[in-house]
Amino acid sequence: MVLSQKLHEAFKGTVERITSPRTVSAFKEKGVLSVNEFVIAGDNLVSKCPTWSWESGDPNKRKSYLPSDKQFLITRNVPCMRRVASIQEEYEAAGGEILLDDEDNDGWLATHGKPKDTKGDEEENVPSIETLEISKKNTIQSIPSYFGTEEEDDIPDMEEIDESDNLVEEDPATLQPTYLVAHEPDDDNILRTRTYDVSITYDKYYQTPRVWLTGYDESRMLLDPELVLEDVSQDHARKTVTIEDHPHLSGKHASVHPCKHAAVMKKLIEPLIAGGLEPQVDKYLFLFLKFVATVIPTIEYDYTMDFDLGSSST
Amino acid sequence: MSSERKGSILQFATFQSSVDEGFWHGLCSLKLNKLKTDESPISITGFYTPCSNPHVSNHLNLLAESLPTEPSDELQTAATCGNRNKCSVPGTLYNTNTYEGYQSLDKKSLLKAEGKKIWDDIRSGKVEEDSSVLLRFLIISFADLKRFHFNYSVAFPALALDPPATLVDLKPASEWFTAEEVESVSACCNEWRMSCLTADVPFFLICISSNSHATIRPLKDFKACQHEDHKILFAFYDPYHGPSNPGWPLRNYLVFIYVRWNITKVPFLCYRENRGFADMGSSLVGEAIIEPSQGQDEMHVPQVIGWEVNGKKKVSRHIDLSTSMDPTRMVISAA
């Protein structure tokens, strides 16, 4: 981790320890969530999109300001059929006009699909950790592959042992995976079957939800966080999305940095208020996940597309 | 795939494991603080859920909480509500102290022993009270705590019918049911999945009355509903997504249905979801035919199979977590 980022993490940690969590609602004014509102919004997400559930996580990492059985939200085994680069190529080939259907027209949706040379105008709208004065370069540590490369592995290969055990059972009632019988999968087939565990934690410092990604390759082995960045919109990959310790789970995970979440949420809520709707805090996470989908457009987690944030829907 | 053909051998899609990083972190601290050099098998818990997306299968997840918890964790006793996304599967972990020990474990005998537990639970009727015991799993591992390398193999023991069951018919539930039945079965499955008491119960009965009204009953009610004028389907949470085969849990389920209730024509429902709700388009209904095995007495434990192979047909897997577990790196990241 870069020194300035580490210093900021230490500062943030101290502030989190000595300040009490937000209790007064300010999501309409500031786009932030109180702890209570996070739980309300999380309960609503779990009931509308049941692939999400609350987790209690590691007892040693439990946050006292959240209910012990509602520490964070998670949805597991979310498919990610293709790499972001492939849709960005398609998009740029199509003239760089529309990437996602952009009903909101808020600017931030459209910008990340723009051709690279127009990057200048996205800075104010796209969440970015640049405001933390973190060097744009090298914010991501280079992490070597999780999977033992042959040369550094002094453990003998198991292959012969397995075969001598004859454990690969010949059983007529076992379906052989099709790619084994047909042909070895080419790269494309492997890439299509990545899966993700997506989790949402409450960030006490920024008073917003925060999204974390744990990737798995086609054989359900942990994906190097560096490779996770292939599934992040390229304009966010090395700025907004960083690799850090998860507050409740073990290990390093890719995370959408929350420093601009409140500002973006405020921008999304304002037009609703202007349109005469009364935004409801329990729908905050649907709107939030819709925004996160622009950062990780190919990870197909569940959130209701056709919702109405205002009270008129109830 | 030829499995839709009439009378073909019923082929089951294999279960797959997915071990998260927290499991290995948890195993390390368990070994250092509690097990030390003890190599006795440990009871652990895996988690699975019905297929929830038409493109990918779900897996058996091993997480940090799969391992035995510290007694200080009071939450375990408080959690009485089943988590619909984490149906418990009982498993056994054999963690060895040395790589040589790992290599020399007798995988066939361990698998057979685990299969015997399933067989005993089928015969004793325990399955009717707690159906999750039909789904046991087995993991053997060697954790190199100096280098943070882990070698492991996972098995999903399945009792093999001899001769194998054949398949009469298999099609999407939406084609098999009438429109009224689709609606009624979906509604009662969603209710079953939303209820605290049943959300994590993976095997159940769907009873459909002559007026197309479906109800769900637990396995232990079979004798009672057998005499009612209902169509009965043997349903289970299917982690597999493909349209031409049922998933692995049906294997031991069929053995149970045959051995315990002596049924040879088994209509079954592979229950699958889309976005967390019953999906009759991807759920499958089929009928399995079981031939009585020749010259085997009741006491005989069927052949047990189920070691998981990876893409290269190897049983053993290897993961290197030194980047996230090496203390010097951890000190740096914690600073």
Side-chain angles (χ1 to χ4, degrees), chain A residues 162 167-169 174-177 179-180 219, chain B residues 14-17 153-156 306-317:
Chain A
D162 286 342
L167 277 167
V168 180
E169 297 125 337
T174 300
L175 176 71
Q176 298 303 319
Y179 64 80
L180 279 180
S219 58
Chain B
T14 50
F15 217 163
Q16 287 179 302
S17 64
S153 309
V154 182
F156 302 101
W307 282 102
E308 181 185 27
V309 291
N310 67 14
K312 295 193 180 77
K313 282 221 165 199
K314 286 207 274 183
V315 170
S316 188
R317 295 178 179 216

Side-chain angles (χ1 to χ4, degrees), chain B residues 17-327:
Chain B
S17 64
S18 173
V19 187
D20 94 339
E21 204 171 339
F23 180 82
W24 300 119
H25 285 250
L27 179 61
C28 283
S29 62
L30 188 71
K31 178 140 183 68
L32 289 171
N33 302 325
K34 198 171 153 215
L35 306 176
K36 306 199 191 284
T37 58
D38 185 1
E39 288 191 336
S40 318
I42 306 162
S43 290
I44 60 171
T45 309
F47 303 100
Y48 97 112
T49 182
C51 168
S52 51
N53 186 296
H55 302 295
V56 289
S57 297
N58 276 332
H59 322 291
L60 183 88
N61 289 301
L62 292 179
L63 315 170
E65 58 260 46
S66 295
L67 294 160
T69 46
E70 307 291 322
S72 59
D73 187 13
E74 76 297 337
L75 196 73
Q76 293 300 311
T77 48
T80 49
C81 189
N83 182 336
R84 71 193 311 281
N85 294 323
K86 276 164 74 177
C87 308
S88 298
V89 178
T92 310
L93 165 70
Y94 292 84
N95 185 56
T96 60
N97 291 323
T98 62
Y99 184 70
E100 290 68 32
Y102 169 75
Q103 278 182 301
S104 61
L105 282 174
D106 184 347
K107 295 198 190 69
K108 278 186 178 168
S109 315
L110 292 178
L111 186 65
K112 202 171 174 188
E114 209 63 25
K116 172 98 171 33
K117 292 182 195 168
I118 296 171
W119 180 247
D120 290 345
D121 289 339
I122 286 174
R123 292 172 52 83
S124 74
K126 188 181 174 191
V127 171
E128 286 168 55
E129 300 300 324
D130 175 11
S131 60
S132 71
V133 297
L134 275 178
L135 277 174
R136 293 175 181 281
F137 71 98
L138 175 67
I139 174 167
I140 60 170
S141 64
F142 164 60
D144 181 342
L145 301 188
K146 291 198 185 84
R147 302 192 311 152
F148 307 98
H149 283 220
F150 303 86
N151 291 276
Y152 69 102
S153 309
V154 182
F156 302 101
L159 305 169
L161 287 166
D162 181 26
T166 52
L167 184 66
V168 174
D169 198 9
L170 186 71
K171 53 184 168 189
S174 53
E175 293 172 23
W176 203 84
F177 290 131
T178 66
E180 293 85 18
E181 286 170 344
V182 164
E183 202 167 305
S184 185
V185 170
S186 300
C188 66
C189 285
N190 284 330
E191 199 183 318
W192 179 265
R193 289 281 289 149
M194 289 296 178
S195 160
C196 248
L197 297 171
T198 55
D200 61 349
V201 178
F203 298 93
F204 52 95
L205 307 169
I206 295 178
C207 305
I208 302 173
S209 67
S210 46
N211 64 357
S212 298
H213 180 74
T215 47
I216 295 191
R217 310 282 288 268
L219 294 185
K220 64 178 160 62
D221 286 1
F222 176 72
K223 291 282 179 205
C225 40
Q226 195 182 14
H227 302 295
E228 293 163 19
D229 188 22
H230 285 159
K231 263 191 291 187
I232 298 177
L233 286 169
F234 296 90
F236 69 101
Y237 293 172
D238 190 351
Y240 184 62
H241 71 282
S244 312
N245 297 83
W248 205 244
L250 182 60
R251 287 197 86 140
N252 291 336
Y253 198 22
L254 287 182
V255 175
F256 163 73
I257 292 162
Y258 170 63
V259 170
R260 184 74 182 164
W261 294 324
N262 203 24
I263 299 171
T264 53
K265 274 180 74 173
V266 184
F268 60 86
L269 175 102
C270 309
Y271 175 75
R272 299 171 183 176
E273 298 181 338
N274 191 7
R275 297 193 171 251
F277 294 98
D279 180 8
M280 291 299 128
S282 62
S283 295
L284 305 175
V285 175
E287 190 168 66
I289 307 291
I290 301 170
E291 298 282 336
S293 52
Q294 304 295 317
Q296 272 185 10
D297 67 88
E298 287 264 300
M299 304 306 290
H300 185 83
V301 183
Q303 194 201 347
V304 187
I305 59 158
W307 282 102
E308 181 185 27
V309 291
N310 67 14
K312 295 193 180 77
K313 282 221 165 199
K314 286 207 274 183
V315 170
S316 188
R317 295 178 179 216
H318 174 244
I319 183 164
D320 169 8
L321 291 179
S322 57
T323 48
S324 73
M325 295 182 75
D326 191 320

Side-chain angles (χ1 to χ4, degrees), chain A residues 28-267:
Chain A
K28 275 178 275 185
E29 297 78 17
K30 296 180 179 167
V32 296
L33 277 188
S34 71
V35 172
N36 225 359
E37 289 170 331
F38 175 68
V39 174
I40 290 168
D43 284 344
N44 196 32
L45 177 67
V46 166
S47 78
K48 299 285 186 337
C49 302
T51 52
W52 288 91
S53 41
W54 284 108
E55 291 267 323
S56 51
D58 183 343
N60 300 318
K61 293 180 177 171
R62 230 162 255 169
K63 312 288 183 210
S64 58
Y65 47 84
L66 283 164
S68 58
D69 58 341
K70 293 181 180 176
Q71 293 280 305
F72 66 103
L73 295 149
I74 195 162
T75 181
R76 289 196 171 83
N77 200 41
V78 177
C80 181
M81 308 292 200
R82 47 191 198 156
R83 306 289 74 79
V84 160
S86 70
I87 64 167
Q88 275 180 332
E89 277 161 22
E90 269 171 37
Y91 159 71
E92 276 165 22
E97 278 172 1
I98 308 152
L99 178 61
L100 300 164
D101 44 327
D102 178 6
E103 299 145 26
D104 299 87
N105 221 358
D106 285 310
W108 54 265
L109 263 179
T111 50
H112 83 275
K114 279 188 183 173
K116 302 281 182 200
D117 53 306
T118 60
K119 253 184 180 173
D121 66 348
E122 84 187 51
E123 302 301 334
E124 57 178 312
N125 290 326
V126 174
S128 149
I129 55 167
E130 278 163 60
T131 44
L132 301 175
E133 295 177 9
I134 293 168
S135 149
K136 275 170 122 177
K137 289 174 216 152
N138 301 326
T139 48
I140 312 292
Q141 271 182 297
S142 164
I143 297 178
S145 170
Y146 269 131
F147 315 111
T149 45
E150 298 298 325
E151 62 269 28
E152 64 180 284
D153 194 350
D154 53 14
I155 286 174
D157 200 322
M158 286 284 293
E159 192 158 21
E160 312 90 71
I161 295 138
D162 286 342
E163 282 172 359
S164 69
D165 269 1
N166 198 18
L167 277 167
V168 180
E169 297 125 337
E170 298 302 327
D171 170 55
T174 300
L175 176 71
Q176 298 303 319
T178 44
Y179 64 80
L180 279 180
V181 277
H183 53 86
E184 285 293 309
D186 52 28
D187 287 347
D188 199 40
N189 282 334
I190 294 178
L191 292 174
R192 281 172 195 278
T193 54
R194 272 190 189 176
T195 55
Y196 278 90
D197 293 349
V198 183
S199 56
I200 304 174
T201 60
Y202 181 74
D203 192 283
K204 194 179 160 200
Y205 180 83
Y206 291 104
Q207 301 171 358
T208 62
R210 175 170 189 171
V211 164
W212 300 82
L213 303 170
T214 312
Y216 296 87
D217 71 9
E218 84 291 344
S219 58
R220 315 302 149 209
M221 297 298 278
L222 275 173
L223 204 58
D224 183 331
E226 194 70 17
L227 294 175
V228 170
L229 295 178
E230 294 176 356
D231 295 317
V232 171
S233 151
Q234 291 309 296
D235 288 334
H236 297 85
R238 289 175 194 278
K239 295 182 289 183
T240 322
V241 176
T242 53
I243 295 164
E244 292 176 47
D245 290 323
H246 192 288
H248 300 281
L249 299 171
S250 303
K252 299 278 180 198
H253 302 254
S255 168
V256 185
H257 203 278
C259 59
K260 286 256 184 135
H261 283 0
V264 171
M265 289 305 290
K266 186 167 177 278
K267 260 189 140 51

